[in-house]
Each structure stands twice: as C-alpha cells, then as structure tokens.
Amino acid sequence: MRYYQCDKYPIEFVVPENIDKHFVSHNHVGNYIISVVMQGTVAVCLEKREVACRMKSMRV
C-alpha cells in the first residue's frame, strides 16, 4: 500500500496494492482521505455493511 500525506493541506492519499489487510475501526479526524483503486477490488465495511469498490474501465 502506498500512502502520501500532504504537508500543506489536511489530505491523505492511499493507493492499496496487492494486499489482504483488515483494519480495526478507526478514523482520521481532521484529515480528508482519498483512496484510489487502480485494479482489483477493495472491500469497505462500515456499521455491518460492506461495499465493494473497484476501478471502472475507462473508455476513450
């Protein structure tokens, strides 16, 4: 997973790559998080709901 934090603004960028990782419930108070799915699927769970996030194919 690649992780970047902006020094000027409260923004964090996350690019998950080839990982099978589960995080305990947490938050990023005071920061905006942008996660980019480049390939595969990322499962996001919140309050007993799970949503699969995947990259949509881009048509040119």
Side-chain angles (χ1 to χ4, degrees):
M1 176 164 50
R2 289 185 285 164
Y3 173 82
Y4 306 95
Q5 187 170 12
C6 180
D7 293 331
K8 189 172 182 179
Y9 301 103
I11 300 172
E12 300 173 24
F13 299 93
V14 179
V15 181
E17 295 179 315
N18 300 318
I19 63 170
D20 183 12
K21 177 122 175 102
H22 295 86
F23 296 96
V24 295
S25 181
H26 68 284
N27 60 44
H28 295 252
V29 176
N31 289 330
Y32 295 98
I33 309 301
I34 299 170
S35 184
V36 179
V37 180
M38 300 299 288
Q39 66 181 6
T41 303
V42 174
V44 179
C45 303
L46 178 63
E47 296 179 357
K48 300 182 182 179
R49 292 185 346 178
E50 183 174 312
V51 176
C53 301
R54 64 179 77 57
M55 180 182 169
K56 288 188 128 191
S57 61
M58 295 173 49
R59 296 184 182 154
V60 182

